[in-house]
């Protein structure tokens, strides 16, 4: 009925709809007889709203008519929907999702708590980042470090890739691109060993470079995660002290030129971790 209401009020009609087909749980259709129906209130209490948002968008894939899914039953309402599509050139996207508690826990722990949260925890800790700073942009235009070049290349293209995937309702593909950047940044931390650099003052510039690459990765990916986990992204960007007017999609590019880059800023202190692992 919503399109009819909009037409009656002479308001612009939506150009696309995102719908989901029947959710399954562990490859079985939810039913009262099987007692496998999901209780959303229990989910929110145990996994948080951000955790559930992340899982649903991470796990859902565009619907395809395969042997796993029964074809749509042509009903009167479906025929009306088709007529609406034809007349107003409106596009419908159908998402399919199999709900798995094992997959839910795995995604939240390995990707949000470990891959994203651990990168922040490492570089914002007092043991490594004693001055609690987000270093100024170093001159990276002529760097020959293969690890840094790889991360810069990933960060330079990830916003374009995410935009394309999000618009195609392939949220999971956009998230995979974001996680690819974060995993490479974590590998760079392992190779650079900032916990050793911090022990010798003569390596302060090297330490700041490592911190800068990690924080730039977090800043760019934090901006791109805003449509997926808005509250968590806000907490991340707040801790990095990223101004609210620099969190638009156009800001999701790495600064590599010291002359046109960012200046040194202080981190905001938070007592809690970004996302607590699910036990």
């Amino acid at each position: 009925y919503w399109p009819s209401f909009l037409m009656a009020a002479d308001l612009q009609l939506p150009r696309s709809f995102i719908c989901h087909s029947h959710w399954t749980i562990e490859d079985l259709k939810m039913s009262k007889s099987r007692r496998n129906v999901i209780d959303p209130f229990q989910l929110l209490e145990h996994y948080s709203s951000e955790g559930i948002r992340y899982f649903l968008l991470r796990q859902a894939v565009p619907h395809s008519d395969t042997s796993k899914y029964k074809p749509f039953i042509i009903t009167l309402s479906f025929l009306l929907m088709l007529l609406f599509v034809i007349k107003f050139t409106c596009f419908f996207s159908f998402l399919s999702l199999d709900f798995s508690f094992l997959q839910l826990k795995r995604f939240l722990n390995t990707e949000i708590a470990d891959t994203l949260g651990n990168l922040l925890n490492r570089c914002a800790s007092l043991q490594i980042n004693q001055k609690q700073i987000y270093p100024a942009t170093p001159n990276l235009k002529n760097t020959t470090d293969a690890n840094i070049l790889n991360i810069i290349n990933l960060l330079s293209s990830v916003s374009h890739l995410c935009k394309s995937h999000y618009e195609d309702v392939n949220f999971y593909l956009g998230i995979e691109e974001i996680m690819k950047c974060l995993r490479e940044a974590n590998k760079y931390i392992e190779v650079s060993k900032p916990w050793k650099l911090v022990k010798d003052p003569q390596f302060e510039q090297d330490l700041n470079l490592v911190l800068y690459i990690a924080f730039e990765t977090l800043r760019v990916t934090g901006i791109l995660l805003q449509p997926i986990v808005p509250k968590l992204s806000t907490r991340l960007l707040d801790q990095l002290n990223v101004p609210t007017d620099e969190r638009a999609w156009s800001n999701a590019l790495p600064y590599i030129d010291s002359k046109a880059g960012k200046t040194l800023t202080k981190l905001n202190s938070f007592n809690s971790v970004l996302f607590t692992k699910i036990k």
Side-chain angles (χ1 to χ4, degrees), residues 220-242:
V220 171
T221 55
I223 290 172
L224 301 180
L225 280 171
Q226 288 179 113
I228 308 296
V229 279
K231 293 179 182 178
L232 187 142
S233 297
T234 296
R235 287 180 55 208
L236 169 61
L237 296 172
D238 283 349
Q239 186 163 355
L240 297 179
N241 209 0
V242 177

Side-chain angles (χ1 to χ4, degrees), residues 15-71:
R15 306 304 301 173
S16 62
F17 289 91
I18 301 175
C19 311
H20 67 78
S21 53
H22 287 294
W23 290 1
T24 56
I25 178 167
E26 311 293 353
D27 288 326
L28 293 173
K29 187 176 179 181
M30 293 186 197
S31 70
K32 293 179 181 178
S33 60
R34 291 195 182 103
R35 296 185 179 181
N36 64 347
V37 177
I38 298 295
D39 185 336
F41 299 105
Q42 289 183 1
L43 282 180
L44 292 174
E45 183 178 347
H46 190 64
Y47 299 102
S48 79
S49 60
E50 293 294 276
I52 298 303
R53 279 182 65 104
Y54 184 82
F55 173 73
L56 294 180
L57 294 173
R58 180 69 174 87
Q59 178 78 342
V61 297
H63 183 87
S64 60
D65 287 329
T66 63
S67 58
K68 184 177 178 181
Y69 297 100
K70 293 181 179 180

